[in-house]
Coordinates of all heavy atoms in Angstrom, one line a residue:
M1 N 0.6 15.7 3.0 CA -0.2 14.9 3.9 C 0.2 13.4 3.7 O 0.2 13.0 2.6 CB -1.6 15.2 3.6 CG -2.6 14.4 4.5 SD -4.2 15.1 4.3 CE -5.1 13.6 4.3
D2 N 0.4 12.7 4.8 CA 0.7 11.3 4.7 C -0.6 10.5 4.6 O -1.3 10.4 5.5 CB 1.5 10.9 5.9 CG 1.9 9.5 5.9 OD1 1.9 8.9 4.8 OD2 2.2 9.0 7.0
R3 N -0.8 9.9 3.4 CA -2.0 9.2 3.2 C -1.9 7.7 3.7 O -2.8 7.0 3.6 CB -2.4 9.2 1.7 CG -2.9 10.5 1.3 CD -3.3 10.5 -0.2 NE -3.9 11.7 -0.6 CZ -5.2 11.8 -0.7 NH1 -6.0 10.9 -0.5 NH2 -5.7 13.0 -1.1
S4 N -0.7 7.3 4.1 CA -0.5 5.9 4.4 C -1.3 5.5 5.6 O -1.6 4.3 5.8 CB 1.0 5.6 4.6 OG 1.5 6.3 5.7
R5 N -1.6 6.4 6.5 CA -2.4 6.1 7.7 C -3.8 6.5 7.6 O -4.6 6.3 8.6 CB -1.7 6.7 8.9 CG -0.4 6.1 9.2 CD 0.2 6.7 10.5 NE 1.5 6.2 10.7 CZ 1.8 5.1 11.4 NH1 0.9 4.5 12.0 NH2 3.1 4.8 11.5
E6 N -4.2 7.1 6.5 CA -5.6 7.5 6.4 C -6.6 6.3 6.3 O -6.3 5.4 5.5 CB -5.7 8.4 5.2 CG -7.1 9.1 5.1 CD -7.1 10.2 4.1 OE1 -6.0 10.5 3.5 OE2 -8.1 10.7 3.8
Y7 N -7.6 6.4 7.0 CA -8.6 5.3 7.0 C -9.4 5.2 5.7 O -9.9 6.2 5.2 CB -9.5 5.5 8.2 CG -10.6 4.4 8.3 CD1 -10.2 3.1 8.5 CD2 -11.9 4.7 8.2 CE1 -11.2 2.1 8.6 CE2 -12.9 3.7 8.3 CZ -12.5 2.4 8.5 OH -13.5 1.5 8.6
A8 N -9.4 4.1 5.1 CA -10.2 3.9 3.8 C -11.5 3.3 4.0 O -12.3 3.2 3.0 CB -9.4 3.0 2.9
G9 N -11.9 3.0 5.2 CA -13.2 2.4 5.4 C -13.2 0.9 5.2 O -12.2 0.3 5.0
D10 N -14.4 0.4 5.1 CA -14.5 -1.1 4.8 C -14.1 -1.3 3.4 O -14.8 -0.8 2.5 CB -15.9 -1.5 5.1 CG -16.1 -3.0 5.0 OD1 -15.2 -3.7 4.4 OD2 -17.1 -3.5 5.4
T11 N -13.1 -2.0 3.1 CA -12.6 -2.1 1.8 C -13.2 -3.3 1.0 O -12.9 -3.5 -0.1 CB -11.0 -2.4 1.8 OG1 -10.8 -3.6 2.5 CG2 -10.3 -1.2 2.3
R12 N -14.2 -3.9 1.6 CA -14.9 -5.0 0.8 C -16.1 -4.5 0.0 O -16.3 -5.0 -1.1 CB -15.3 -6.1 1.8 CG -14.1 -6.8 2.5 CD -14.6 -7.6 3.6 NE -15.1 -6.8 4.7 CZ -15.6 -7.2 5.8 NH1 -15.7 -8.5 6.0 NH2 -16.0 -6.4 6.7
W13 N -16.9 -3.6 0.6 CA -18.1 -3.2 -0.1 C -18.6 -1.9 0.5 O -18.0 -1.3 1.4 CB -19.2 -4.2 -0.1 CG -19.3 -4.9 1.2 CD1 -19.6 -4.5 2.4 CD2 -18.9 -6.3 1.4 NE1 -19.5 -5.4 3.4 CE2 -19.1 -6.6 2.7 CE3 -18.6 -7.3 0.5 CZ2 -18.9 -7.9 3.3 CZ3 -18.4 -8.6 1.0 CH2 -18.5 -8.8 2.4
G14 N -19.6 -1.3 -0.1 CA -20.2 -0.1 0.4 C -19.8 1.1 -0.2 O -20.1 2.2 0.3
W15 N -19.1 1.0 -1.4 CA -18.7 2.2 -2.1 C -19.8 2.7 -3.0 O -20.3 2.0 -3.8 CB -17.4 1.9 -2.9 CG -16.4 1.5 -1.9 CD1 -16.0 0.2 -1.6 CD2 -15.6 2.3 -1.0 NE1 -15.1 0.2 -0.6 CE2 -14.8 1.5 -0.3 CE3 -15.5 3.7 -0.9 CZ2 -13.9 2.0 0.7 CZ3 -14.6 4.2 0.1 CH2 -13.8 3.3 0.8
R16 N -20.2 4.0 -2.9 CA -21.3 4.5 -3.7 C -20.8 5.8 -4.4 O -20.0 6.5 -4.0 CB -22.4 4.9 -2.7 CG -22.8 3.6 -2.0 CD -24.1 3.7 -1.2 NE -25.3 4.0 -2.0 CZ -26.0 3.0 -2.6 NH1 -25.6 1.8 -2.6 NH2 -27.1 3.4 -3.2
C17 N -21.4 6.0 -5.6 CA -21.1 7.1 -6.4 C -21.5 8.4 -5.7 O -22.6 8.5 -5.1 CB -21.9 7.0 -7.7 SG -21.7 8.5 -8.8
P18 N -20.7 9.4 -5.7 CA -21.0 10.7 -5.0 C -22.2 11.4 -5.7 O -22.8 12.2 -5.0 CB -19.7 11.5 -5.1 CG -18.7 10.6 -5.7 CD -19.3 9.4 -6.2
R19 N -22.4 11.2 -6.9 CA -23.4 11.9 -7.7 C -24.8 11.3 -7.7 O -25.8 12.0 -7.6 CB -22.9 12.2 -9.1 CG -21.6 13.0 -9.1 CD -21.2 13.3 -10.4 NE -22.2 14.1 -11.1 CZ -22.0 14.6 -12.3 NH1 -20.9 14.3 -13.0 NH2 -23.0 15.3 -12.9
C20 N -24.8 9.9 -7.8 CA -26.1 9.3 -8.1 C -26.4 8.2 -7.1 O -27.4 7.5 -7.2 CB -26.2 8.8 -9.5 SG -25.1 7.4 -9.9
E21 N -25.5 7.9 -6.1 CA -25.7 6.9 -5.1 C -25.7 5.4 -5.6 O -26.1 4.5 -4.9 CB -27.0 7.1 -4.3 CG -27.0 8.5 -3.6 CD -26.0 8.5 -2.5 OE1 -25.8 7.6 -1.8 OE2 -25.4 9.6 -2.3
T22 N -25.2 5.2 -6.8 CA -25.1 3.8 -7.4 C -23.8 3.2 -6.8 O -22.8 3.8 -6.6 CB -25.0 3.9 -8.9 OG1 -26.1 4.6 -9.4 CG2 -24.9 2.5 -9.5
D23 N -23.9 1.9 -6.6 CA -22.7 1.1 -6.2 C -21.6 1.2 -7.2 O -21.9 1.1 -8.4 CB -23.0 -0.3 -5.9 CG -23.8 -0.6 -4.7 OD1 -23.8 0.3 -3.8 OD2 -24.5 -1.6 -4.6
V24 N -20.4 1.5 -6.7 CA -19.2 1.7 -7.6 C -18.1 0.7 -7.2 O -17.9 0.5 -6.0 CB -18.7 3.1 -7.5 CG1 -17.4 3.3 -8.3 CG2 -19.7 4.1 -7.9
S25 N -17.5 0.0 -8.1 CA -16.4 -0.9 -7.8 C -15.1 -0.2 -8.2 O -15.1 0.6 -9.2 CB -16.6 -2.2 -8.5 OG -16.6 -2.1 -9.9
V26 N -14.0 -0.6 -7.5 CA -12.7 -0.2 -7.9 C -12.0 -1.3 -8.6 O -12.0 -2.4 -8.1 CB -11.9 0.3 -6.6 CG1 -10.5 0.6 -7.0 CG2 -12.6 1.4 -5.9
D27 N -11.5 -1.0 -9.8 CA -10.9 -2.1 -10.6 C -9.5 -1.7 -11.0 O -9.1 -0.5 -11.1 CB -11.7 -2.3 -11.9 CG -13.1 -2.7 -11.6 OD1 -13.3 -3.7 -10.8 OD2 -14.1 -2.2 -12.2
R28 N -8.7 -2.7 -11.4 CA -7.4 -2.4 -11.9 C -7.5 -2.2 -13.4 O -8.1 -2.9 -14.1 CB -6.5 -3.6 -11.7 CG -5.1 -3.4 -12.1 CD -4.2 -4.6 -11.7 NE -2.8 -4.2 -11.8 CZ -2.1 -3.8 -10.8 NH1 -2.6 -3.6 -9.7 NH2 -0.8 -3.4 -11.0
D29 N -6.8 -1.1 -13.9 CA -6.7 -0.8 -15.3 C -5.5 -1.4 -15.9 O -4.4 -1.0 -15.6 CB -6.7 0.7 -15.5 CG -6.7 1.2 -16.9 OD1 -6.7 0.3 -17.8 OD2 -6.8 2.4 -17.2
S30 N -5.7 -2.5 -16.6 CA -4.5 -3.3 -17.1 C -3.6 -2.5 -18.1 O -2.5 -2.8 -18.2 CB -5.0 -4.6 -17.7 OG -5.8 -4.3 -18.8
A31 N -4.2 -1.5 -18.8 CA -3.4 -0.8 -19.7 C -2.4 0.2 -19.1 O -1.3 0.4 -19.6 CB -4.4 0.1 -20.6
T32 N -2.8 0.7 -17.9 CA -1.9 1.6 -17.2 C -1.3 1.1 -15.9 O -0.5 1.7 -15.3 CB -2.6 2.9 -16.9 OG1 -3.7 2.6 -16.0 CG2 -3.1 3.6 -18.2
E33 N -1.8 -0.1 -15.5 CA -1.3 -0.7 -14.2 C -1.7 0.2 -13.0 O -0.9 0.2 -12.0 CB 0.2 -1.0 -14.2 CG 0.6 -2.1 -15.3 CD -0.1 -3.4 -15.0 OE1 -0.1 -3.9 -13.9 OE2 -0.5 -4.0 -16.0
T34 N -2.7 0.9 -13.1 CA -3.2 1.7 -12.0 C -4.6 1.3 -11.7 O -5.2 0.4 -12.3 CB -3.2 3.2 -12.4 OG1 -4.1 3.4 -13.5 CG2 -1.8 3.7 -12.7
F35 N -5.2 1.9 -10.7 CA -6.6 1.6 -10.3 C -7.5 2.7 -10.6 O -7.1 3.9 -10.6 CB -6.6 1.3 -8.8 CG -5.9 0.0 -8.4 CD1 -4.6 0.0 -8.2 CD2 -6.6 -1.2 -8.4 CE1 -3.9 -1.2 -7.9 CE2 -6.0 -2.4 -8.1 CZ -4.6 -2.4 -7.8
R36 N -8.8 2.4 -10.8 CA -9.8 3.3 -11.2 C -11.2 2.9 -10.7 O -11.4 1.8 -10.4 CB -9.9 3.5 -12.7 CG -10.3 2.2 -13.4 CD -10.4 2.3 -14.9 NE -11.5 3.0 -15.3 CZ -11.5 4.0 -16.2 NH1 -10.4 4.4 -16.7 NH2 -12.6 4.7 -16.5
W37 N -12.0 3.9 -10.6 CA -13.4 3.6 -10.3 C -14.3 4.5 -11.3 O -13.8 5.5 -11.8 CB -13.8 4.0 -8.9 CG -13.6 5.4 -8.5 CD1 -12.5 5.9 -7.9 CD2 -14.5 6.5 -8.7 NE1 -12.6 7.3 -7.7 CE2 -13.9 7.6 -8.2 CE3 -15.8 6.6 -9.2 CZ2 -14.5 8.9 -8.2 CZ3 -16.4 7.9 -9.2 CH2 -15.7 9.0 -8.7
E38 N -15.4 3.9 -11.7 CA -16.2 4.6 -12.7 C -17.7 4.2 -12.4 O -18.0 3.0 -12.3 CB -15.8 4.2 -14.1 CG -16.6 4.9 -15.2 CD -16.1 4.6 -16.5 OE1 -15.2 3.8 -16.7 OE2 -16.7 5.2 -17.5
C39 N -18.6 5.2 -12.3 CA -20.0 4.9 -12.1 C -20.5 4.3 -13.4 O -20.3 4.8 -14.5 CB -20.7 6.2 -11.8 SG -22.5 5.9 -11.5
E40 N -21.3 3.3 -13.3 CA -21.9 2.6 -14.4 C -23.3 3.0 -14.7 O -23.9 2.5 -15.7 CB -21.8 1.1 -14.2 CG -20.4 0.6 -14.1 CD -20.3 -0.9 -13.8 OE1 -21.3 -1.6 -13.8 OE2 -19.2 -1.4 -13.5
E41 N -23.8 3.9 -14.0 CA -25.2 4.4 -14.2 C -25.2 5.2 -15.5 O -24.4 6.1 -15.7 CB -25.7 5.2 -13.0 CG -27.1 5.7 -13.1 CD -28.1 4.6 -12.9 OE1 -27.8 3.6 -12.3 OE2 -29.2 4.8 -13.5
N42 N -26.2 5.0 -16.3 CA -26.4 5.8 -17.6 C -26.6 7.2 -17.2 O -27.4 7.6 -16.4 CB -27.6 5.3 -18.4 CG -27.3 3.9 -19.0 OD1 -26.2 3.5 -19.2 ND2 -28.4 3.2 -19.2
G43 N -25.8 8.1 -17.9 CA -25.9 9.5 -17.7 C -25.0 10.1 -16.6 O -24.9 11.3 -16.5
C44 N -24.5 9.3 -15.8 CA -23.6 9.7 -14.7 C -22.2 9.8 -15.2 O -21.7 8.8 -15.7 CB -23.7 8.9 -13.5 SG -22.8 9.5 -12.1
L45 N -21.5 10.9 -15.0 CA -20.1 11.0 -15.5 C -19.0 10.9 -14.5 O -17.9 11.2 -14.7 CB -20.0 12.4 -16.2 CG -21.0 12.6 -17.4 CD1 -20.9 14.0 -17.9 CD2 -20.8 11.6 -18.5
A46 N -19.4 10.5 -13.3 CA -18.4 10.4 -12.2 C -17.3 9.3 -12.5 O -17.7 8.2 -12.8 CB -19.1 10.1 -10.9
V47 N -16.1 9.7 -12.4 CA -15.0 8.7 -12.6 C -13.7 9.2 -11.9 O -13.5 10.4 -11.7 CB -14.7 8.6 -14.1 CG1 -14.2 9.9 -14.7 CG2 -13.7 7.5 -14.4
G48 N -12.9 8.2 -11.5 CA -11.6 8.5 -10.9 C -10.6 7.5 -11.4 O -10.9 6.3 -11.6
F49 N -9.4 8.0 -11.8 CA -8.5 7.1 -12.4 C -7.0 7.5 -12.0 O -6.8 8.6 -11.6 CB -8.7 7.0 -13.9 CG -8.6 8.3 -14.6 CD1 -7.4 8.8 -15.1 CD2 -9.8 9.1 -14.7 CE1 -7.4 10.1 -15.7 CE2 -9.7 10.3 -15.3 CZ -8.5 10.8 -15.8
G50 N -6.1 6.6 -12.3 CA -4.7 6.8 -12.1 C -4.2 6.7 -10.7 O -3.1 7.2 -10.3
F51 N -4.9 5.9 -9.9 CA -4.5 5.7 -8.5 C -3.5 4.5 -8.3 O -3.6 3.5 -9.0 CB -5.7 5.4 -7.6 CG -6.7 6.5 -7.6 CD1 -7.8 6.4 -8.4 CD2 -6.5 7.7 -6.9 CE1 -8.7 7.4 -8.4 CE2 -7.4 8.7 -7.0 CZ -8.5 8.6 -7.7
A52 N -2.5 4.7 -7.5 CA -1.4 3.7 -7.3 C -1.9 2.5 -6.6 O -1.3 1.4 -6.8 CB -0.3 4.3 -6.5
S53 N -3.0 2.5 -5.9 CA -3.5 1.3 -5.2 C -5.0 1.4 -5.1 O -5.6 2.5 -5.2 CB -2.9 1.2 -3.8 OG -3.4 2.3 -3.0
R54 N -5.6 0.2 -4.8 CA -7.0 0.1 -4.6 C -7.4 1.0 -3.4 O -8.4 1.7 -3.5 CB -7.4 -1.3 -4.4 CG -8.9 -1.6 -4.4 CD -9.1 -3.1 -4.3 NE -8.5 -3.9 -5.3 CZ -9.0 -4.1 -6.6 NH1 -10.2 -3.6 -6.9 NH2 -8.4 -4.9 -7.4
R55 N -6.6 1.0 -2.4 CA -6.9 1.7 -1.2 C -6.9 3.2 -1.5 O -7.8 3.9 -1.0 CB -5.9 1.4 -0.1 CG -6.1 2.1 1.2 CD -5.0 1.6 2.2 NE -5.2 2.2 3.5 CZ -4.8 3.4 3.8 NH1 -4.1 4.1 2.9 NH2 -5.1 3.9 5.0
R56 N -6.0 3.7 -2.2 CA -6.0 5.1 -2.5 C -7.1 5.5 -3.4 O -7.7 6.6 -3.3 CB -4.7 5.5 -3.2 CG -3.5 5.5 -2.2 CD -2.3 6.1 -2.9 NE -1.2 6.1 -1.9 CZ 0.0 6.5 -2.2 NH1 0.3 7.0 -3.4 NH2 0.9 6.4 -1.2
A57 N -7.5 4.7 -4.3 CA -8.7 4.9 -5.1 C -10.0 5.0 -4.2 O -10.8 5.9 -4.4 CB -8.9 3.9 -6.2
R58 N -10.1 4.2 -3.2 CA -11.3 4.2 -2.4 C -11.2 5.4 -1.5 O -12.3 6.0 -1.2 CB -11.3 2.9 -1.5 CG -11.7 1.7 -2.4 CD -11.7 0.5 -1.6 NE -12.3 -0.6 -2.4 CZ -11.9 -1.8 -2.4 NH1 -10.9 -2.2 -1.6 NH2 -12.4 -2.7 -3.2
I59 N -10.1 5.8 -1.0 CA -10.0 7.1 -0.2 C -10.4 8.3 -1.0 O -11.1 9.1 -0.6 CB -8.5 7.2 0.4 CG1 -8.3 6.2 1.4 CG2 -8.3 8.6 0.9 CD1 -6.8 6.1 1.9
A60 N -9.9 8.3 -2.3 CA -10.3 9.4 -3.2 C -11.8 9.4 -3.5 O -12.4 10.5 -3.5 CB -9.5 9.3 -4.5
L61 N -12.4 8.2 -3.6 CA -13.8 8.2 -3.9 C -14.6 8.7 -2.6 O -15.5 9.4 -2.8 CB -14.2 6.7 -4.2 CG -15.7 6.4 -4.4 CD1 -16.3 7.2 -5.5 CD2 -15.9 4.9 -4.6
R62 N -14.1 8.3 -1.4 CA -14.8 8.8 -0.2 C -14.6 10.3 -0.1 O -15.6 11.0 0.2 CB -14.2 8.1 1.0 CG -14.9 8.5 2.3 CD -14.2 8.2 3.5 NE -13.0 9.1 3.6 CZ -11.8 8.7 4.1 NH1 -11.6 7.5 4.5 NH2 -10.8 9.6 4.2
E63 N -13.4 10.9 -0.4 CA -13.2 12.3 -0.3 C -14.1 13.0 -1.3 O -14.6 14.1 -1.0 CB -11.8 12.6 -0.5 CG -10.9 12.2 0.7 CD -9.4 12.4 0.4 OE1 -9.0 12.7 -0.8 OE2 -8.6 12.2 1.4
Y64 N -14.2 12.5 -2.5 CA -15.0 13.1 -3.6 C -16.5 13.2 -3.1 O -17.2 14.2 -3.2 CB -14.9 12.3 -4.9 CG -15.7 12.8 -6.1 CD1 -16.3 14.1 -6.1 CD2 -15.8 12.0 -7.2 CE1 -17.0 14.5 -7.2 CE2 -16.5 12.4 -8.3 CZ -17.1 13.7 -8.3 OH -17.8 14.1 -9.4
R65 N -16.9 12.1 -2.5 CA -18.3 12.0 -2.1 C -18.5 13.0 -1.0 O -19.6 13.7 -1.0 CB -18.6 10.6 -1.5 CG -19.9 10.3 -1.0 CD -20.0 8.9 -0.5 NE -21.3 8.7 0.2 CZ -22.4 8.4 -0.4 NH1 -22.4 8.3 -1.7 NH2 -23.5 8.2 0.2
E66 N -17.6 13.2 0.0 CA -17.8 14.1 1.1 C -17.8 15.6 0.5 O -18.6 16.4 0.9 CB -16.7 14.0 2.1 CG -16.8 12.7 2.9 CD -15.6 12.4 3.7 OE1 -14.6 13.2 3.7 OE2 -15.6 11.4 4.5
R67 N -16.9 15.9 -0.4 CA -16.9 17.2 -1.0 C -18.1 17.5 -1.8 O -18.7 18.6 -1.7 CB -15.6 17.4 -1.9 CG -14.4 17.7 -1.2 CD -13.3 18.2 -2.1 NE -13.1 17.3 -3.3 CZ -12.3 16.3 -3.4 NH1 -11.5 16.0 -2.4 NH2 -12.2 15.6 -4.5
Y68 N -18.6 16.5 -2.6 CA -19.7 16.7 -3.4 C -21.0 17.0 -2.6 O -21.8 17.8 -2.9 CB -19.9 15.5 -4.3 CG -21.0 15.7 -5.3 CD1 -20.8 16.3 -6.5 CD2 -22.3 15.2 -5.1 CE1 -21.8 16.5 -7.5 CE2 -23.3 15.3 -6.0 CZ -23.1 16.0 -7.2 OH -24.1 16.1 -8.1
Q69 N -21.1 16.2 -1.5 CA -22.3 16.3 -0.7 C -22.3 17.6 0.1 O -23.4 18.2 0.3 CB -22.4 15.1 0.3 CG -22.8 13.9 -0.4 CD -22.9 12.7 0.5 OE1 -22.4 12.7 1.7 NE2 -23.4 11.6 0.0
S70 N -21.2 18.1 0.5 CA -21.1 19.4 1.3 C -21.3 20.6 0.4 O -21.7 21.6 0.8 CB -19.8 19.5 2.1 OG -18.7 19.6 1.2
V71 N -21.0 20.5 -0.9 CA -21.1 21.6 -1.8 C -22.4 21.7 -2.5 O -23.0 22.8 -2.6 CB -20.0 21.6 -2.9 CG1 -20.2 22.6 -4.0 CG2 -18.6 21.7 -2.3
Y72 N -22.9 20.6 -2.9 CA -24.2 20.6 -3.8 C -25.4 20.2 -3.0 O -26.5 20.2 -3.6 CB -24.0 19.7 -5.0 CG -22.8 20.2 -5.9 CD1 -21.6 19.6 -5.9 CD2 -23.0 21.3 -6.6 CE1 -20.6 20.0 -6.7 CE2 -22.0 21.8 -7.4 CZ -20.8 21.1 -7.5 OH -19.8 21.6 -8.3
R73 N -25.4 20.0 -1.8 CA -26.6 19.5 -1.1 C -27.0 20.5 0.0 O -26.3 21.2 0.6 CB -26.4 18.2 -0.4 CG -25.8 17.2 -1.4 CD -26.9 16.1 -1.7 NE -26.2 15.2 -2.6 CZ -26.7 14.8 -3.8 NH1 -27.9 15.2 -4.2 NH2 -26.1 13.9 -4.5

């Protein structure tokens, strides 16, 4: 699947944890030169890492959220 044309949504804000609805930011991991997101809420274990770009990390976060909501809700 070609992800280059996949819509990532508003890339400025509005990203929420799929598990607990807390705001999540996408950051660059300087140790690996990749991008990651991690929920900062105590007790929540949601995390995504190893993405080549901030956009791909946000797309993956959106997809995780959609899958999580359709399976567990």
Side-chain angles (χ1 to χ4, degrees):
M1 182 168 140
D2 181 20
R3 291 181 173 259
S4 63
R5 296 185 182 266
E6 191 168 352
Y7 179 62
D10 186 347
T11 58
R12 293 171 291 179
W13 35 67
W15 301 98
R16 301 190 63 83
C17 175
R19 298 181 64 177
C20 68
E21 300 294 321
T22 302
D23 286 335
V24 176
S25 61
V26 175
D27 299 312
R28 184 178 195 92
D29 184 353
S30 60
T32 62
E33 296 297 319
T34 60
F35 290 87
R36 62 179 286 129
W37 60 268
E38 182 174 3
C39 183
E40 297 178 8
E41 184 68 26
N42 290 335
C44 185
L45 303 175
V47 64
F49 55 91
F51 300 102
S53 69
R54 188 176 306 273
R55 183 176 181 278
R56 286 189 182 179
R58 289 181 172 142
I59 290 171
L61 177 58
R62 186 195 69 215
E63 289 174 351
Y64 179 13
R65 181 180 172 84
E66 289 170 358
R67 279 193 313 266
Y68 187 83
Q69 288 179 348
S70 66
V71 172
Y72 296 106
R73 309 252 183 229

